[in-house]
Amino acid sequence: AQKVTQTQTSISVMEKTTVTMDCVYETRDSSYFLFWYKQTASGEIVFLIRQDSYKKENATEGHYSLNFQKPKSSIGLIITATQIEDSAVYFCAMRIASSSFSKLVFGQGTSLSVVP
Amino acid sequence: GPKVLQIPSHQIIDMGQMVTLNCDPVSNHLYFYWYKQILGQQMEFLVNFYNGKVMEKSKLFKDQFSVERPDGSYFTLKIQPTALEDSAVYFCASSLQLGALREYFGPGTRLTVL
């Protein structure tokens, strides 16, 4: 069974700084996809970025980037030049690459507060 | 971008009653999902649905739960009868394909069972 763990419950950072959120995952599958979503104060769930397990290069998307360390089963999210509006709960999630199964398994979430 | 809509945004019912949560997925999407989020916790997979059938369900998808999408209309989650532990936010999602492609999530329906 798959499992995703986010140990950081909450983080507070100053605006315009860089923050890293940790995520480790467990799976026996050799091929999988890793996602980061954020949930805003209104409850909206927003897709941020995806990493494919077979790719060595870290994914980047705007001011989001990933630190993918496959041997450690780790997929950290890096947000550079943080803004107030980045304040949200960030969820790491995993899906195995199978045509039969498609569920996303989520971590517990990390609450990020960006302060001026 | 593509939007998933959910109706209603909030539903309050008495324990034992039936409730139907409605989801209007992205128009050309083929795969549909329901996730449950208890306050302050992560989202947990309930069920996915494709071509008129449940493909996969979790242990949270109790016998009292059912899903359907009759004739391309709303994708619905029905709970009959409801229990106190069903109180949560239910998120609908849809995707064009399985695997790598992202799921688009709706805004959620907050269900309160009294």
Side-chain angles (χ1 to χ4, degrees):
Chain A
Q2 296 81 41
K3 185 177 180 181
V4 177
T5 303
Q6 297 176 252
T7 56
Q8 299 159 304
T9 304
S10 63
I11 301 174
S12 182
V13 300
M14 299 284 288
E15 191 180 10
K16 300 179 185 176
T17 61
T18 295
V19 63
T20 299
M21 282 175 270
D22 301 327
C23 175
V24 293
Y25 57 90
E26 297 175 26
T27 182
R28 293 183 179 180
D29 295 88
S30 59
S31 185
Y32 47 88
F33 304 100
L34 300 163
F35 301 81
W36 278 91
Y37 286 84
K38 80 173 187 181
Q39 187 170 31
T40 65
S42 67
E44 181 187 9
I45 299 168
V46 180
F47 166 79
L48 298 177
I49 192 169
R50 183 190 92 224
Q51 178 77 40
D52 301 344
S53 64
Y54 58 87
K55 291 187 177 178
K56 294 184 178 179
E57 305 80 25
N58 290 319
T60 62
E61 192 73 46
H63 76 144
Y64 303 107
S65 61
L66 297 177
N67 179 17
F68 181 41
Q69 299 184 57
K70 196 170 183 179
K72 296 183 178 180
S73 296
S74 170
I75 184 73
L77 174 68
I78 303 166
I79 307 177
T80 56
T82 51
Q83 303 163 8
I84 301 296
E85 51 268 32
D86 290 325
S87 296
V89 178
Y90 289 78
F91 289 99
C92 177
M94 174 174 63
R95 168 184 287 129
I96 61 171
S98 163
S99 61
S100 302
F101 301 98
S102 66
K103 67 178 181 182
L104 275 173
V105 177
F106 285 89
Q108 301 90 331
T110 297
S111 178
L112 174 67
S113 295
V114 181
V115 298
Chain B
K3 293 280 189 185
V4 175
L5 305 176
Q6 289 186 244
I7 302 166
S9 58
H10 195 179
Q11 179 89 46
I12 301 173
I13 59 170
D14 291 323
M15 182 177 63
Q17 285 190 319
M18 180 194 76
V19 68
T20 300
L21 309 183
N22 298 293
C23 171
D24 188 9
V26 177
S27 60
N28 62 336
H29 284 186
L30 301 175
Y31 298 86
F32 313 111
Y33 314 80
W34 284 103
Y35 290 84
K36 176 182 180 181
Q37 185 181 37
I38 294 173
L39 185 64
Q41 299 183 20
Q42 73 263 46
M43 280 172 289
E44 294 187 272
F45 171 81
L46 283 176
V47 66
N48 61 34
F49 189 84
Y50 168 73
N51 199 25
K53 299 176 184 176
V54 170
M55 291 179 59
E56 184 185 5
K57 59 184 180 180
S58 74
K59 59 184 179 183
L60 296 178
F61 193 77
K62 303 178 296 184
D63 291 342
Q64 299 90 321
F65 288 38
S66 63
V67 291
E68 64 176 356
R69 191 183 188 217
D71 300 324
S73 61
Y74 287 147
F75 174 51
T76 63
L77 173 65
K78 182 184 293 185
I79 309 174
Q80 181 178 24
T82 50
L84 294 177
E85 59 265 27
D86 296 331
S87 293
V89 180
Y90 291 83
F91 289 95
C92 174
S94 70
S95 67
L96 189 56
Q97 295 176 12
L98 292 178
L101 291 188
R102 53 174 287 196
E103 293 172 21
Y104 289 79
F105 284 86
T109 293
R110 180 176 297 279
L111 176 65
T112 302
V113 182
L114 302 176

